Amino acid sequence: MGFIRRAHPLTYLTLIAFLFFSAFPLYYSLIVASMDNSALGQVPPPLFPGTHLVENIRRVFDTVAFGKALINSVIVSSVITFSVVLFSSLAGFAFAKLRFRGRPALYVGVIATMMVPGQLGVIPLYILMAKWQLIDTLYAVIAPSLVSAFGVFFMSQFLSSAVPTELLEAGRVDGCTTLGLFWHVVLPIARPAAAVLGMLTFMNAWNDFFWPLVVLTPENPTVQVSLSTVASGYITDYSLTLTGAALATMPLIVVFALLGKQIIHGIMQGALKG
Amino acid sequence: MKSWLHRADVKASPYLYISPFYLLFGLLGAFPLVYTAWVSLHDWSLLEDEHPFVGLANYKALFADSLFWNALGNTASIWVISTVPQLLFAILLAHILNNRLRGQTLWRTGLLLPNVTSVVAVAIIFGQLFGRDYGMINWVLGQFGIGHIDWQAGTATSHIAISAMIIWRWTGYNALIYLAAMQAVPDSLHEAAILDGATSMQRLWRITIPSIRPTIIFTVIVSTIGGLQVFAEPLLFGGGGLTGGSDGQFQTLALYLYQAGFGRFDFGYASATAWLMFLVIVLAAMLNFLLTRRIRRA
């Protein structure tokens, strides 16, 4: 644990101020989401919720394909999460605990790819997806995110210290195959790290914007794409857009409220070892 | 027979476990990057069937394109205005959280809350907060007698507004990373300093920051890469669109790339932009590295 000295009352005041700034924009979006548009010109601006939330939510679903967008986002994020966790655990296990020729160079390869921003490959990716006739399908959104260099790095860091080598050797002596070791020894130990990686991946996939905007149309969007459609109308309908913004964020806030502690722990652990 | 199988399992199976990553990454991550270079050497319009080879013409045109330099300048400006305060706030916050506090989980959850919010939602919410006529920020400023600012219209004001979105979203995340690093600094160092009468700020400056320097370098590089890709914030800020405001006053490189590629379908030009972006990122990372190494020596 950190450092041992009792905190000054001013410390708490600073933290409360920070918490206020963290939460305020989200709170304010809820306020606007519960207002009639005509109420937004008030001076001073409204600080408490109004009564139009349900009506505004209905309007979001009527204006854009928000229901479809929600379903699409759930599908995309789930598939990506499953795939990233599975392949990261497999590769992380190999890098952390198995000996094979070329391992150091291949591992450096993984780390190097973490530094390359995804935006740089969008033009050829689009050409590829067009060639495979996948434009405007969820396959096109999912495919480039099926694996993650960060995931491999994260799992390998965790497994190298969490899995005792003696346990693997004992398993081998008992005649277990490598895949058997992965299934019976490594996976149970990897569960907490896999859960954290899964949540981080899900959030990233849910919030991804650039690539879905490139390959999808407003008729078949993810949540973020449909949100941008609402926002880029000729005249901005603020109650409508902020209702959409609140709706798009709400699922993640719920997940975060339930599992935030583990996510924070995971980020801090990953950062420390990086 | 069995020992042969066993040997094959031990020797070959590791490659099997890493191959999904390398296959998928090779096809959908590394190959596109190289292919971008190839496309950038062509007059490659999505609307034409022929893509004639033009050599470096796209790059030449880019260097002569004032909109490209404008986007590069905006990106650099937004990057500086957002990264410097963001990392300073993060270090201070982490330093505060590194005391013995009640409710650690609550504070840490508060730190990460903005990061969980989607960029698109952040851009929309802040677009409203920074609104000229009915925005909350102008109303607050009005209470202090500062006139209504048209945040979106000016270069400096729009950069400040966009940076505010980035700072809001990322400060807490970086604070968490610093906090993790700070907790690895031995308590004995701080105890000794306290016995010598060092204040909290002196300990931050003399003990904590030198000890977590690798982590600081890491966050600077990560925010540089992130900063060069800023896209959703300027796209959605007050309906700025692909041009980043009426005069491109807040068009970033990523927006410029998107406009060339998916606004005009000029894939060759967009690819050349992507490669120049990549070069800028590599240069910025190297500059960071050299600078921080010099600081360490000094």
Side-chain angles (χ1 to χ4, degrees), chain A residues 4 6 11-12 21-22 44 101 106 113 119 124 178-179 207 224, chain B residues 9 15 17 22 25 32 36 96 100 102 110 118 139 168 191 229:
Chain A
I4 25 130
R6 233 168 241 305
T11 309
Y12 286 106
F21 279 112
S22 282
R101 199 179 287 242
L106 286 167
T113 57
Q119 275 177 2
T178 314
L179 200 60
N207 286 335
Q224 310 302 334
Chain B
D9 177 35
Y15 296 106
Y17 304 150
Y22 272 97
F25 184 81
T36 304
I96 291 176
R100 200 166 65 176
R102 282 168 207 280
S118 88
W139 177 76
W168 182 76
E191 283 160 10
Q229 297 187 79

PDB file of all heavy atoms in Angstrom, chain A residues 4 6 11-12 21-22 44 101 106 113 119 124 178-179 207 224, chain B residues 9 15 17 22 25 32 36 96 100 102 110 118 139 168 191 229:
ATOM      1  N   ILE A   4       2.200   6.431   4.109  1.00  0.00           N
ATOM      2  CA  ILE A   4       1.537   6.450   5.395  1.00  0.00           C
ATOM      3  C   ILE A   4       1.567   7.823   6.039  1.00  0.00           C
ATOM      4  O   ILE A   4       2.501   8.171   6.720  1.00  0.00           O
ATOM      5  CB  ILE A   4       2.234   5.471   6.346  1.00  0.00           C
ATOM      6  CG1 ILE A   4       3.696   5.302   5.852  1.00  0.00           C
ATOM      7  CG2 ILE A   4       1.580   4.111   6.317  1.00  0.00           C
ATOM      8  CD1 ILE A   4       4.718   5.462   6.824  1.00  0.00           C
ATOM      9  N   ARG A   6      -1.576  10.781   7.409  1.00  0.00           N
ATOM     10  CA  ARG A   6      -2.985  11.132   7.366  1.00  0.00           C
ATOM     11  C   ARG A   6      -3.220  12.297   6.409  1.00  0.00           C
ATOM     12  O   ARG A   6      -2.443  13.248   6.393  1.00  0.00           O
ATOM     13  CB  ARG A   6      -3.481  11.464   8.766  1.00  0.00           C
ATOM     14  CG  ARG A   6      -4.691  10.634   9.061  1.00  0.00           C
ATOM     15  CD  ARG A   6      -5.127  10.637  10.469  1.00  0.00           C
ATOM     16  NE  ARG A   6      -5.087   9.293  11.047  1.00  0.00           N
ATOM     17  CZ  ARG A   6      -5.710   8.244  10.540  1.00  0.00           C
ATOM     18  NH1 ARG A   6      -6.398   8.331   9.443  1.00  0.00           N
ATOM     19  NH2 ARG A   6      -5.645   7.086  11.145  1.00  0.00           N
ATOM     20  N   THR A  11      -7.121  18.033   1.073  1.00  0.00           N
ATOM     21  CA  THR A  11      -6.990  16.943   0.114  1.00  0.00           C
ATOM     22  C   THR A  11      -8.361  16.442  -0.315  1.00  0.00           C
ATOM     23  O   THR A  11      -8.629  16.258  -1.497  1.00  0.00           O
ATOM     24  CB  THR A  11      -6.211  15.788   0.758  1.00  0.00           C
ATOM     25  OG1 THR A  11      -5.025  16.320   1.322  1.00  0.00           O
ATOM     26  CG2 THR A  11      -5.870  14.734  -0.256  1.00  0.00           C
ATOM     27  N   TYR A  12      -9.228  16.237   0.685  1.00  0.00           N
ATOM     28  CA  TYR A  12     -10.564  15.734   0.363  1.00  0.00           C
ATOM     29  C   TYR A  12     -11.346  16.742  -0.464  1.00  0.00           C
ATOM     30  O   TYR A  12     -12.075  16.376  -1.377  1.00  0.00           O
ATOM     31  CB  TYR A  12     -11.315  15.382   1.647  1.00  0.00           C
ATOM     32  CG  TYR A  12     -10.804  14.110   2.278  1.00  0.00           C
ATOM     33  CD1 TYR A  12     -10.024  14.138   3.421  1.00  0.00           C
ATOM     34  CD2 TYR A  12     -11.095  12.876   1.703  1.00  0.00           C
ATOM     35  CE1 TYR A  12      -9.546  12.967   3.983  1.00  0.00           C
ATOM     36  CE2 TYR A  12     -10.621  11.701   2.256  1.00  0.00           C
ATOM     37  CZ  TYR A  12      -9.843  11.755   3.400  1.00  0.00           C
ATOM     38  OH  TYR A  12      -9.364  10.602   3.936  1.00  0.00           O
ATOM     39  N   PHE A  21     -16.098  17.494 -11.289  1.00  0.00           N
ATOM     40  CA  PHE A  21     -15.797  17.718 -12.703  1.00  0.00           C
ATOM     41  C   PHE A  21     -15.899  16.436 -13.523  1.00  0.00           C
ATOM     42  O   PHE A  21     -16.269  16.461 -14.695  1.00  0.00           O
ATOM     43  CB  PHE A  21     -14.406  18.339 -12.859  1.00  0.00           C
ATOM     44  CG  PHE A  21     -14.397  19.811 -12.620  1.00  0.00           C
ATOM     45  CD1 PHE A  21     -13.759  20.357 -11.525  1.00  0.00           C
ATOM     46  CD2 PHE A  21     -15.064  20.673 -13.494  1.00  0.00           C
ATOM     47  CE1 PHE A  21     -13.770  21.721 -11.291  1.00  0.00           C
ATOM     48  CE2 PHE A  21     -15.080  22.040 -13.269  1.00  0.00           C
ATOM     49  CZ  PHE A  21     -14.430  22.566 -12.170  1.00  0.00           C
ATOM     50  N   SER A  22     -15.564  15.312 -12.904  1.00  0.00           N
ATOM     51  CA  SER A  22     -15.683  14.031 -13.612  1.00  0.00           C
ATOM     52  C   SER A  22     -17.124  13.706 -13.933  1.00  0.00           C
ATOM     53  O   SER A  22     -17.443  13.212 -15.001  1.00  0.00           O
ATOM     54  CB  SER A  22     -15.125  12.890 -12.749  1.00  0.00           C
ATOM     55  OG  SER A  22     -13.743  12.874 -12.797  1.00  0.00           O
ATOM     56  N   PRO A  44     -30.758  31.276 -15.757  1.00  0.00           N
ATOM     57  CA  PRO A  44     -29.609  30.380 -15.888  1.00  0.00           C
ATOM     58  C   PRO A  44     -30.001  29.015 -16.445  1.00  0.00           C
ATOM     59  O   PRO A  44     -31.168  28.646 -16.356  1.00  0.00           O
ATOM     60  CB  PRO A  44     -29.123  30.249 -14.435  1.00  0.00           C
ATOM     61  CG  PRO A  44     -30.338  30.486 -13.605  1.00  0.00           C
ATOM     62  CD  PRO A  44     -31.151  31.471 -14.354  1.00  0.00           C
ATOM     63  N   ARG A 101      11.795 -21.700 -30.594  1.00  0.00           N
ATOM     64  CA  ARG A 101      12.766 -20.923 -31.345  1.00  0.00           C
ATOM     65  C   ARG A 101      12.136 -19.614 -31.829  1.00  0.00           C
ATOM     66  O   ARG A 101      11.013 -19.623 -32.312  1.00  0.00           O
ATOM     67  CB  ARG A 101      13.226 -21.747 -32.550  1.00  0.00           C
ATOM     68  CG  ARG A 101      14.517 -21.296 -33.150  1.00  0.00           C
ATOM     69  CD  ARG A 101      14.855 -22.214 -34.294  1.00  0.00           C
ATOM     70  NE  ARG A 101      15.288 -23.518 -33.785  1.00  0.00           N
ATOM     71  CZ  ARG A 101      16.509 -24.005 -34.009  1.00  0.00           C
ATOM     72  NH1 ARG A 101      17.367 -23.336 -34.728  1.00  0.00           N
ATOM     73  NH2 ARG A 101      16.845 -25.187 -33.531  1.00  0.00           N
ATOM     74  N   LEU A 106       9.753 -12.739 -31.740  1.00  0.00           N
ATOM     75  CA  LEU A 106       8.315 -12.699 -31.998  1.00  0.00           C
ATOM     76  C   LEU A 106       7.600 -11.855 -30.938  1.00  0.00           C
ATOM     77  O   LEU A 106       6.646 -11.134 -31.242  1.00  0.00           O
ATOM     78  CB  LEU A 106       7.732 -14.111 -32.021  1.00  0.00           C
ATOM     79  CG  LEU A 106       8.074 -14.922 -33.279  1.00  0.00           C
ATOM     80  CD1 LEU A 106       7.744 -16.398 -33.098  1.00  0.00           C
ATOM     81  CD2 LEU A 106       7.323 -14.365 -34.484  1.00  0.00           C
ATOM     82  N   THR A 113       4.034  -3.756 -32.461  1.00  0.00           N
ATOM     83  CA  THR A 113       2.773  -3.470 -33.149  1.00  0.00           C
ATOM     84  C   THR A 113       1.813  -2.682 -32.264  1.00  0.00           C
ATOM     85  O   THR A 113       0.881  -2.071 -32.763  1.00  0.00           O
ATOM     86  CB  THR A 113       2.072  -4.760 -33.599  1.00  0.00           C
ATOM     87  OG1 THR A 113       1.860  -5.574 -32.446  1.00  0.00           O
ATOM     88  CG2 THR A 113       2.873  -5.501 -34.607  1.00  0.00           C
ATOM     89  N   GLN A 119      -5.508   3.897 -37.377  1.00  0.00           N
ATOM     90  CA  GLN A 119      -6.026   4.752 -38.449  1.00  0.00           C
ATOM     91  C   GLN A 119      -5.202   4.679 -39.727  1.00  0.00           C
ATOM     92  O   GLN A 119      -5.701   4.958 -40.806  1.00  0.00           O
ATOM     93  CB  GLN A 119      -6.044   6.205 -37.982  1.00  0.00           C
ATOM     94  CG  GLN A 119      -7.282   6.570 -37.206  1.00  0.00           C
ATOM     95  CD  GLN A 119      -7.221   7.996 -36.711  1.00  0.00           C
ATOM     96  OE1 GLN A 119      -6.270   8.713 -36.984  1.00  0.00           O
ATOM     97  NE2 GLN A 119      -8.228   8.407 -35.979  1.00  0.00           N
ATOM     98  N   PRO A 124      -6.368   0.757 -47.105  1.00  0.00           N
ATOM     99  CA  PRO A 124      -6.269  -0.606 -47.634  1.00  0.00           C
ATOM    100  C   PRO A 124      -7.288  -1.549 -47.016  1.00  0.00           C
ATOM    101  O   PRO A 124      -7.819  -2.413 -47.713  1.00  0.00           O
ATOM    102  CB  PRO A 124      -4.860  -1.043 -47.251  1.00  0.00           C
ATOM    103  CG  PRO A 124      -4.138   0.182 -46.917  1.00  0.00           C
ATOM    104  CD  PRO A 124      -5.119   1.181 -46.467  1.00  0.00           C
ATOM    105  N   THR A 178       0.252 -30.178 -24.173  1.00  0.00           N
ATOM    106  CA  THR A 178       0.355 -28.739 -23.965  1.00  0.00           C
ATOM    107  C   THR A 178      -1.028 -28.096 -23.928  1.00  0.00           C
ATOM    108  O   THR A 178      -1.316 -27.240 -23.099  1.00  0.00           O
ATOM    109  CB  THR A 178       1.190 -28.099 -25.090  1.00  0.00           C
ATOM    110  OG1 THR A 178       2.363 -28.894 -25.279  1.00  0.00           O
ATOM    111  CG2 THR A 178       1.607 -26.700 -24.711  1.00  0.00           C
ATOM    112  N   LEU A 179      -1.890 -28.536 -24.840  1.00  0.00           N
ATOM    113  CA  LEU A 179      -3.234 -27.988 -24.864  1.00  0.00           C
ATOM    114  C   LEU A 179      -3.983 -28.348 -23.577  1.00  0.00           C
ATOM    115  O   LEU A 179      -4.742 -27.538 -23.039  1.00  0.00           O
ATOM    116  CB  LEU A 179      -3.992 -28.507 -26.088  1.00  0.00           C
ATOM    117  CG  LEU A 179      -5.196 -27.672 -26.509  1.00  0.00           C
ATOM    118  CD1 LEU A 179      -4.776 -26.260 -26.866  1.00  0.00           C
ATOM    119  CD2 LEU A 179      -5.930 -28.324 -27.678  1.00  0.00           C
ATOM    120  N   ASN A 207     -17.013   1.594 -27.705  1.00  0.00           N
ATOM    121  CA  ASN A 207     -16.779   3.011 -27.946  1.00  0.00           C
ATOM    122  C   ASN A 207     -16.065   3.308 -29.260  1.00  0.00           C
ATOM    123  O   ASN A 207     -15.847   4.470 -29.591  1.00  0.00           O
ATOM    124  CB  ASN A 207     -15.968   3.614 -26.792  1.00  0.00           C
ATOM    125  CG  ASN A 207     -16.820   3.796 -25.552  1.00  0.00           C
ATOM    126  OD1 ASN A 207     -18.038   3.915 -25.643  1.00  0.00           O
ATOM    127  ND2 ASN A 207     -16.190   3.806 -24.401  1.00  0.00           N
ATOM    128  N   GLN A 224     -22.310   4.123 -31.715  1.00  0.00           N
ATOM    129  CA  GLN A 224     -21.557   5.367 -31.896  1.00  0.00           C
ATOM    130  C   GLN A 224     -21.856   6.003 -33.252  1.00  0.00           C
ATOM    131  O   GLN A 224     -21.932   7.227 -33.369  1.00  0.00           O
ATOM    132  CB  GLN A 224     -20.051   5.122 -31.765  1.00  0.00           C
ATOM    133  CG  GLN A 224     -19.635   4.354 -30.527  1.00  0.00           C
ATOM    134  CD  GLN A 224     -20.068   5.019 -29.238  1.00  0.00           C
ATOM    135  OE1 GLN A 224     -20.254   6.233 -29.188  1.00  0.00           O
ATOM    136  NE2 GLN A 224     -20.270   4.228 -28.195  1.00  0.00           N
TER     137      GLN A 224
ATOM    138  N   ASP B   9       4.520 -32.131 -29.938  1.00  0.00           N
ATOM    139  CA  ASP B   9       3.641 -31.278 -29.139  1.00  0.00           C
ATOM    140  C   ASP B   9       4.437 -30.158 -28.483  1.00  0.00           C
ATOM    141  O   ASP B   9       4.086 -28.975 -28.578  1.00  0.00           O
ATOM    142  CB  ASP B   9       2.942 -32.150 -28.076  1.00  0.00           C
ATOM    143  CG  ASP B   9       2.054 -31.325 -27.159  1.00  0.00           C
ATOM    144  OD1 ASP B   9       1.457 -30.342 -27.641  1.00  0.00           O
ATOM    145  OD2 ASP B   9       1.960 -31.655 -25.967  1.00  0.00           O
ATOM    146  N   TYR B  15       3.844 -22.551 -31.596  1.00  0.00           N
ATOM    147  CA  TYR B  15       3.583 -21.752 -32.807  1.00  0.00           C
ATOM    148  C   TYR B  15       2.096 -21.726 -33.132  1.00  0.00           C
ATOM    149  O   TYR B  15       1.556 -20.759 -33.656  1.00  0.00           O
ATOM    150  CB  TYR B  15       4.379 -22.309 -33.990  1.00  0.00           C
ATOM    151  CG  TYR B  15       5.867 -22.199 -33.783  1.00  0.00           C
ATOM    152  CD1 TYR B  15       6.635 -23.308 -33.487  1.00  0.00           C
ATOM    153  CD2 TYR B  15       6.491 -20.956 -33.859  1.00  0.00           C
ATOM    154  CE1 TYR B  15       8.000 -23.195 -33.272  1.00  0.00           C
ATOM    155  CE2 TYR B  15       7.843 -20.825 -33.639  1.00  0.00           C
ATOM    156  CZ  TYR B  15       8.596 -21.955 -33.345  1.00  0.00           C
ATOM    157  OH  TYR B  15       9.935 -21.822 -33.120  1.00  0.00           O
ATOM    158  N   TYR B  17      -0.256 -21.707 -30.971  1.00  0.00           N
ATOM    159  CA  TYR B  17      -0.972 -20.816 -30.060  1.00  0.00           C
ATOM    160  C   TYR B  17      -0.781 -19.354 -30.422  1.00  0.00           C
ATOM    161  O   TYR B  17      -1.654 -18.529 -30.160  1.00  0.00           O
ATOM    162  CB  TYR B  17      -0.519 -21.053 -28.613  1.00  0.00           C
ATOM    163  CG  TYR B  17      -0.686 -22.471 -28.174  1.00  0.00           C
ATOM    164  CD1 TYR B  17       0.155 -23.036 -27.220  1.00  0.00           C
ATOM    165  CD2 TYR B  17      -1.675 -23.272 -28.726  1.00  0.00           C
ATOM    166  CE1 TYR B  17       0.003 -24.357 -26.830  1.00  0.00           C
ATOM    167  CE2 TYR B  17      -1.832 -24.586 -28.347  1.00  0.00           C
ATOM    168  CZ  TYR B  17      -0.982 -25.130 -27.401  1.00  0.00           C
ATOM    169  OH  TYR B  17      -1.130 -26.426 -27.029  1.00  0.00           O
ATOM    170  N   TYR B  22      -0.691 -13.811 -35.079  1.00  0.00           N
ATOM    171  CA  TYR B  22       0.165 -13.362 -36.175  1.00  0.00           C
ATOM    172  C   TYR B  22      -0.540 -13.403 -37.531  1.00  0.00           C
ATOM    173  O   TYR B  22      -0.331 -12.529 -38.364  1.00  0.00           O
ATOM    174  CB  TYR B  22       1.472 -14.159 -36.198  1.00  0.00           C
ATOM    175  CG  TYR B  22       2.502 -13.511 -35.318  1.00  0.00           C
ATOM    176  CD1 TYR B  22       2.719 -13.945 -34.017  1.00  0.00           C
ATOM    177  CD2 TYR B  22       3.211 -12.403 -35.765  1.00  0.00           C
ATOM    178  CE1 TYR B  22       3.632 -13.313 -33.197  1.00  0.00           C
ATOM    179  CE2 TYR B  22       4.119 -11.760 -34.960  1.00  0.00           C
ATOM    180  CZ  TYR B  22       4.330 -12.212 -33.684  1.00  0.00           C
ATOM    181  OH  TYR B  22       5.221 -11.566 -32.881  1.00  0.00           O
ATOM    182  N   PHE B  25      -3.217 -10.546 -37.384  1.00  0.00           N
ATOM    183  CA  PHE B  25      -2.570  -9.253 -37.364  1.00  0.00           C
ATOM    184  C   PHE B  25      -1.836  -8.993 -38.676  1.00  0.00           C
ATOM    185  O   PHE B  25      -1.852  -7.872 -39.197  1.00  0.00           O
ATOM    186  CB  PHE B  25      -1.604  -9.116 -36.191  1.00  0.00           C
ATOM    187  CG  PHE B  25      -1.010  -7.750 -36.136  1.00  0.00           C
ATOM    188  CD1 PHE B  25      -1.724  -6.710 -35.576  1.00  0.00           C
ATOM    189  CD2 PHE B  25       0.221  -7.488 -36.710  1.00  0.00           C
ATOM    190  CE1 PHE B  25      -1.212  -5.433 -35.582  1.00  0.00           C
ATOM    191  CE2 PHE B  25       0.737  -6.211 -36.723  1.00  0.00           C
ATOM    192  CZ  PHE B  25       0.020  -5.175 -36.155  1.00  0.00           C
ATOM    193  N   PRO B  32      -2.033  -4.053 -44.353  1.00  0.00           N
ATOM    194  CA  PRO B  32      -2.607  -2.760 -44.760  1.00  0.00           C
ATOM    195  C   PRO B  32      -1.622  -1.611 -44.664  1.00  0.00           C
ATOM    196  O   PRO B  32      -1.642  -0.703 -45.499  1.00  0.00           O
ATOM    197  CB  PRO B  32      -3.761  -2.564 -43.772  1.00  0.00           C
ATOM    198  CG  PRO B  32      -4.165  -3.928 -43.405  1.00  0.00           C
ATOM    199  CD  PRO B  32      -2.899  -4.734 -43.379  1.00  0.00           C
ATOM    200  N   THR B  36      -0.738   0.569 -47.748  1.00  0.00           N
ATOM    201  CA  THR B  36      -0.972   2.018 -47.750  1.00  0.00           C
ATOM    202  C   THR B  36       0.114   2.731 -48.548  1.00  0.00           C
ATOM    203  O   THR B  36      -0.159   3.644 -49.328  1.00  0.00           O
ATOM    204  CB  THR B  36      -0.988   2.574 -46.311  1.00  0.00           C
ATOM    205  OG1 THR B  36      -1.963   1.881 -45.571  1.00  0.00           O
ATOM    206  CG2 THR B  36      -1.321   4.044 -46.292  1.00  0.00           C
ATOM    207  N   ILE B  96      -1.805  13.080  -4.633  1.00  0.00           N
ATOM    208  CA  ILE B  96      -2.803  13.202  -3.570  1.00  0.00           C
ATOM    209  C   ILE B  96      -3.360  11.832  -3.190  1.00  0.00           C
ATOM    210  O   ILE B  96      -3.473  11.489  -2.018  1.00  0.00           O
ATOM    211  CB  ILE B  96      -3.964  14.123  -4.027  1.00  0.00           C
ATOM    212  CG1 ILE B  96      -3.462  15.563  -4.136  1.00  0.00           C
ATOM    213  CG2 ILE B  96      -5.124  14.042  -3.067  1.00  0.00           C
ATOM    214  CD1 ILE B  96      -4.504  16.515  -4.669  1.00  0.00           C
ATOM    215  N   ARG B 100      -2.652   8.166   2.614  1.00  0.00           N
ATOM    216  CA  ARG B 100      -3.637   7.261   3.187  1.00  0.00           C
ATOM    217  C   ARG B 100      -4.968   7.985   3.220  1.00  0.00           C
ATOM    218  O   ARG B 100      -5.130   8.980   3.921  1.00  0.00           O
ATOM    219  CB  ARG B 100      -3.223   6.839   4.592  1.00  0.00           C
ATOM    220  CG  ARG B 100      -3.934   5.573   5.022  1.00  0.00           C
ATOM    221  CD  ARG B 100      -3.300   4.988   6.234  1.00  0.00           C
ATOM    222  NE  ARG B 100      -3.438   5.887   7.388  1.00  0.00           N
ATOM    223  CZ  ARG B 100      -3.032   5.558   8.611  1.00  0.00           C
ATOM    224  NH1 ARG B 100      -2.469   4.391   8.820  1.00  0.00           N
ATOM    225  NH2 ARG B 100      -3.186   6.400   9.623  1.00  0.00           N
ATOM    226  N   ARG B 102      -9.430   7.863   3.052  1.00  0.00           N
ATOM    227  CA  ARG B 102     -10.678   7.096   3.133  1.00  0.00           C
ATOM    228  C   ARG B 102     -11.302   7.028   1.743  1.00  0.00           C
ATOM    229  O   ARG B 102     -11.210   7.990   0.989  1.00  0.00           O
ATOM    230  CB  ARG B 102     -11.657   7.798   4.064  1.00  0.00           C
ATOM    231  CG  ARG B 102     -11.397   7.604   5.512  1.00  0.00           C
ATOM    232  CD  ARG B 102     -12.259   8.577   6.306  1.00  0.00           C
ATOM    233  NE  ARG B 102     -11.628   8.886   7.581  1.00  0.00           N
ATOM    234  CZ  ARG B 102     -11.689   8.080   8.636  1.00  0.00           C
ATOM    235  NH1 ARG B 102     -12.346   6.945   8.562  1.00  0.00           N
ATOM    236  NH2 ARG B 102     -11.092   8.404   9.772  1.00  0.00           N
ATOM    237  N   GLY B 110     -14.100   7.506  -9.600  1.00  0.00           N
ATOM    238  CA  GLY B 110     -14.318   8.851 -10.140  1.00  0.00           C
ATOM    239  C   GLY B 110     -13.287   9.210 -11.191  1.00  0.00           C
ATOM    240  O   GLY B 110     -13.598   9.861 -12.181  1.00  0.00           O
ATOM    241  N   SER B 118     -18.132   7.278 -23.990  1.00  0.00           N
ATOM    242  CA  SER B 118     -17.661   7.182 -25.373  1.00  0.00           C
ATOM    243  C   SER B 118     -17.199   8.541 -25.878  1.00  0.00           C
ATOM    244  O   SER B 118     -17.720   9.579 -25.465  1.00  0.00           O
ATOM    245  CB  SER B 118     -18.757   6.625 -26.275  1.00  0.00           C
ATOM    246  OG  SER B 118     -19.567   7.667 -26.755  1.00  0.00           O
ATOM    247  N   TRP B 139     -22.284  30.756 -19.824  1.00  0.00           N
ATOM    248  CA  TRP B 139     -23.126  31.307 -18.763  1.00  0.00           C
ATOM    249  C   TRP B 139     -22.290  31.566 -17.502  1.00  0.00           C
ATOM    250  O   TRP B 139     -22.377  32.631 -16.892  1.00  0.00           O
ATOM    251  CB  TRP B 139     -24.281  30.350 -18.446  1.00  0.00           C
ATOM    252  CG  TRP B 139     -25.120  30.841 -17.315  1.00  0.00           C
ATOM    253  CD1 TRP B 139     -26.034  31.851 -17.368  1.00  0.00           C
ATOM    254  CD2 TRP B 139     -25.090  30.398 -15.957  1.00  0.00           C
ATOM    255  NE1 TRP B 139     -26.586  32.047 -16.128  1.00  0.00           N
ATOM    256  CE2 TRP B 139     -26.027  31.171 -15.244  1.00  0.00           C
ATOM    257  CE3 TRP B 139     -24.365  29.401 -15.294  1.00  0.00           C
ATOM    258  CZ2 TRP B 139     -26.256  30.994 -13.883  1.00  0.00           C
ATOM    259  CZ3 TRP B 139     -24.592  29.218 -13.942  1.00  0.00           C
ATOM    260  CH2 TRP B 139     -25.521  30.009 -13.246  1.00  0.00           C
ATOM    261  N   TRP B 168     -10.513  16.150 -20.095  1.00  0.00           N
ATOM    262  CA  TRP B 168     -11.552  15.576 -19.233  1.00  0.00           C
ATOM    263  C   TRP B 168     -11.535  14.051 -19.317  1.00  0.00           C
ATOM    264  O   TRP B 168     -11.616  13.355 -18.320  1.00  0.00           O
ATOM    265  CB  TRP B 168     -12.924  16.106 -19.645  1.00  0.00           C
ATOM    266  CG  TRP B 168     -14.027  15.598 -18.767  1.00  0.00           C
ATOM    267  CD1 TRP B 168     -14.318  16.015 -17.507  1.00  0.00           C
ATOM    268  CD2 TRP B 168     -14.957  14.555 -19.073  1.00  0.00           C
ATOM    269  NE1 TRP B 168     -15.383  15.299 -17.005  1.00  0.00           N
ATOM    270  CE2 TRP B 168     -15.784  14.399 -17.935  1.00  0.00           C
ATOM    271  CE3 TRP B 168     -15.179  13.731 -20.177  1.00  0.00           C
ATOM    272  CZ2 TRP B 168     -16.821  13.466 -17.888  1.00  0.00           C
ATOM    273  CZ3 TRP B 168     -16.208  12.799 -20.128  1.00  0.00           C
ATOM    274  CH2 TRP B 168     -17.016  12.675 -18.990  1.00  0.00           C
ATOM    275  N   GLU B 191       9.678   8.539   4.096  1.00  0.00           N
ATOM    276  CA  GLU B 191       9.817   8.695   5.544  1.00  0.00           C
ATOM    277  C   GLU B 191      11.081   9.478   5.876  1.00  0.00           C
ATOM    278  O   GLU B 191      11.057  10.400   6.687  1.00  0.00           O
ATOM    279  CB  GLU B 191       9.834   7.323   6.219  1.00  0.00           C
ATOM    280  CG  GLU B 191       8.447   6.713   6.326  1.00  0.00           C
ATOM    281  CD  GLU B 191       8.487   5.203   6.526  1.00  0.00           C
ATOM    282  OE1 GLU B 191       9.584   4.662   6.769  1.00  0.00           O
ATOM    283  OE2 GLU B 191       7.420   4.583   6.419  1.00  0.00           O
ATOM    284  N   GLN B 229      -4.157  11.241 -33.461  1.00  0.00           N
ATOM    285  CA  GLN B 229      -5.299  10.569 -34.085  1.00  0.00           C
ATOM    286  C   GLN B 229      -6.628  11.212 -33.723  1.00  0.00           C
ATOM    287  O   GLN B 229      -7.679  10.640 -34.004  1.00  0.00           O
ATOM    288  CB  GLN B 229      -5.342   9.119 -33.628  1.00  0.00           C
ATOM    289  CG  GLN B 229      -4.150   8.312 -34.039  1.00  0.00           C
ATOM    290  CD  GLN B 229      -4.366   6.865 -33.690  1.00  0.00           C
ATOM    291  OE1 GLN B 229      -5.061   6.146 -34.391  1.00  0.00           O
ATOM    292  NE2 GLN B 229      -3.793   6.439 -32.587  1.00  0.00           N
TER     293      GLN B 229
END
